[in-house]
Amino acid sequence: MMSDGPSRLLPEHIQESLGFDVPKQEKASMICLFNFEASNIAADTVSSYVFSHSEAQVHTIVDRVVPAWVNESSDVVIMSYSGNSPEIESVYNTASMRGARIHCITSGGKLAELCSGKGHLMLIPKGLNNFEATGYEMGVLVNLYDAMGIEGIKDAMKAAIPGITKYRDEVWGSKKAWRLSLQITDRIPVIYCVGELRAVHKRWKMLINQVLGKLAFSGELPEFDHNEIVSWTEDRNNREFIVLMFRINTDSELLNLIQNTVTELLPEYRLNIKVIDLEGGLMERAIKGIILADAVVDCMKGGE
């Protein structure tokens, strides 16, 4: 029977999947990455590196609509752990009709059937749930991007593994994770972070919604600064919520200023806010935020 919760083995799954062989591909310049179910956690984590370090364009899409620009010079990656998302066949058939190079990351299902006929199929282990599969999806996607000529991405992930493993060992079952779980138990969590940590706020929200069956909301800076800060400071219902603010040191002085201003302003209104600093390289700090979500939700499930 498959577990319905997160896995402690995320670093080990990444390490293992980095050893999966992906043959060299044609050099990519336009990549359309379709990601379904919880696969967008891996998609956003890995693709954030490409956005910052490569001239290749990557568009991450959670939809059945294939952009009009997709053609024979495009690479289409379809990632779904189960391989049975209802959108898959439509996306695959359209991309195939357009002559795109198709790459499929899955454990089986309809996607494996389609891609085994025409496309580059990369299988990851069966028997996991969507959250447990994240590490394997990250590693295989890194290997694929590396095979497509995106330089440095595999080395960056390998460099992150010692840091994320150490962090996992420090937070899993720790007082920090237990305290955070108690802080959010009787409140509605709202998770905020900058765009490059998009996978972090998605992971927290998904786990709280789907595993715990609790409401949770999320958003990104700087849009939060424009659209929501007034309601946090004026709405009398704000005490029912707790803000989890993930903060990093970015390359943008303006964005750093916005992060620091928000984290200093909200406590002045006696709001429930917890600021969590993440350190390390781009992929390392995103994965740390994901690991912390897994550790806290494990505590809330009773450490099963």
Side-chain angles (χ1 to χ4, degrees), residues 116-257:
S116 62
K118 180 183 178 184
H120 175 210
L121 177 62
M122 290 154 284
L123 290 171
I124 56 180
K126 294 179 178 289
L128 307 172
N129 65 44
N130 284 329
F131 298 114
E132 294 171 322
T134 298
Y136 288 108
E137 291 174 329
M138 286 183 184
V140 172
L141 186 57
V142 164
N143 279 354
L144 175 60
Y145 281 169
D146 179 70
M148 288 176 166
I150 298 175
E151 297 179 357
I153 191 166
K154 192 166 185 176
D155 289 338
M157 183 61 90
K158 287 180 177 178
I161 289 176
I164 64 174
T165 303
K166 182 174 182 289
Y167 186 80
R168 185 274 314 276
D169 294 342
E170 290 172 350
V171 301
W172 202 276
S174 67
K175 291 181 179 179
K176 176 179 180 179
W178 280 104
R179 282 196 298 266
L180 195 48
S181 72
L182 292 173
Q183 287 177 300
I184 68 177
T185 294
D186 296 323
R187 294 191 175 93
I188 300 172
V190 183
I191 306 97
Y192 288 116
C193 55
V194 296
E196 70 179 59
L197 294 181
R198 185 169 296 116
V200 174
H201 76 69
K202 287 183 178 180
R203 181 69 159 206
W204 278 85
K205 185 178 185 300
M206 283 183 182
L207 285 172
I208 294 170
N209 289 163
Q210 298 179 30
V211 176
L212 301 178
K214 285 171 53 69
L215 279 174
F217 301 94
S218 65
E220 297 175 22
L221 295 172
E223 285 308 303
F224 159 83
D225 195 48
H226 301 310
N227 301 329
E228 298 179 24
I229 197 165
V230 172
S231 60
W232 278 112
T233 57
E234 296 185 5
D235 192 329
R236 294 180 181 179
N237 295 315
N238 58 28
R239 300 297 295 173
E240 298 180 19
F241 297 82
I242 179 169
V243 176
L244 303 182
M245 182 73 72
F246 285 87
R247 183 171 59 185
I248 61 173
N249 184 29
T250 75
D251 295 330
S252 167
E253 291 185 11
L254 177 59
L255 199 50
N256 290 335
L257 177 62

Side-chain angles (χ1 to χ4, degrees), residues 5 25 33 36 40 54 62 88 90 94 96 99 101 107 109 116 118 135 174 203 230 240 258 262 279 288:
Q25 306 294 306
L33 171 56
F36 302 105
N40 63 354
S54 174
V62 188
I88 283 173
S90 174
T94 302
S96 180
R101 296 184 292 268
S107 67
S116 62
K118 180 183 178 184
S174 67
R203 181 69 159 206
V230 172
E240 298 180 19
I258 291 172
V262 169
E279 299 179 351
K288 284 178 177 178

